[in-house]
Amino acid sequence: MIKYRKVKCMIWNDNKFPFLDDDTQLVWFHAYTCPFSNGLGMFLASVEALAANKRWSVERYSKGFENLIANDFIRFDEGYQVVWFPKFLMHNKPENPNSLKGLLKFWSDIPESPLKTEFYHTLGALCNEWGDNFVKVFETLPKRYPKPIRNTETETETDTDTETENSPYQESKLININTSNSGGAF
């Protein structure tokens, strides 16, 4: 576990965060820095485990957690119990390619959730921005993560049914699958 996280003071200038209730803000700080978290910003934890770690009731913690999901601060796959801060690596860029290599030791700890597939593509895009040496480290990850399938109005009913039947993720319940990058949402 990495014991250090960067928290930008500018979070208080975010267009959403300062307007969240105190419990929701505290849940954000807890989930961001709790012992389950890691330097990738994606980790395995249930809401019940997070609540127990905070020593709060599940009901109290869940309310703040759901507010974070509704405001695009975190994504959660309930079936696989994967928590993801989608902008984590934008605010916590690894210092160098070797740092990224060290962080990727957590990769195998994350279940094969659809969120992991999205994270894979997000990480690839970030590595392209960060430079060739980061891309080389990224290329050491398994290449079994297809581009996420997005439903479009042009798909036929048959196409959608076939994709769902063949998906290894059909049992997973994704919470907050909105991938827009609008707003701050640290």
Side-chain angles (χ1 to χ4, degrees):
M1 167 183 39
I2 307 270
K3 296 181 181 185
Y4 174 77
R5 306 280 181 281
K6 296 177 188 173
V7 178
K8 291 190 174 187
C9 296
M10 296 300 291
I11 194 167
W12 299 107
N13 291 347
D14 183 80
N15 64 348
K16 295 179 185 178
F17 192 82
F19 305 102
L20 298 172
D21 63 85
D22 291 347
D23 274 4
T24 301
Q25 290 175 349
L26 191 53
V27 168
W28 184 89
F29 278 106
H30 177 258
Y32 197 83
T33 60
C34 74
F36 302 110
S37 66
N38 60 42
L40 290 174
M42 176 177 269
F43 55 92
L44 173 66
S46 67
V47 175
E48 294 82 5
L50 290 164
N53 179 260
K54 179 70 182 92
R55 293 158 187 85
W56 277 9
S57 70
V58 173
E59 294 78 20
R60 182 179 180 190
Y61 200 94
S62 292
K63 183 178 176 191
F65 197 79
E66 288 168 7
N67 285 339
L68 292 174
I69 291 168
N71 283 284
D72 298 326
F73 285 93
I74 59 173
R75 307 269 310 279
F76 182 63
D77 183 326
E78 187 175 29
Y80 286 94
Q81 299 183 340
V82 173
V83 178
W84 180 29
F85 288 83
K87 295 188 178 186
F88 183 90
L89 287 176
M90 290 179 214
H91 299 289
N92 290 279
K93 176 186 172 190
E95 296 296 322
N96 56 55
N98 283 336
S99 294
L100 177 61
K101 187 176 184 179
L103 291 175
L104 291 179
K105 68 183 176 190
F106 298 112
W107 188 259
S108 62
D109 296 341
I110 303 166
E112 297 298 323
S113 161
L115 289 181
K116 188 173 182 180
T117 299
E118 287 188 50
F119 178 70
Y120 174 87
H121 294 288
T122 299
L123 179 60
L126 287 170
C127 287
N128 280 326
E129 290 177 20
W130 298 337
D132 290 342
N133 290 330
F134 283 96
V135 171
K136 288 176 187 173
V137 173
F138 173 75
E139 289 174 345
T140 65
L141 289 174
K143 297 184 178 15
R144 65 176 178 261
Y145 300 98
K147 291 250 183 207
I149 298 171
R150 303 272 184 243
N151 289 336
T152 63
E153 292 180 24
T154 58
E155 287 180 336
T156 66
E157 188 174 313
T158 306
D159 291 340
T160 305
D161 291 343
T162 304
E163 289 166 359
T164 302
E165 289 172 13
N166 294 331
S167 171
Y169 307 121
Q170 66 192 40
E171 295 300 318
S172 178
K173 180 179 178 188
L174 282 182
I175 308 295
N176 187 29
I177 58 172
N178 178 0
T179 58
S180 69
N181 287 328
S182 61
F186 275 78

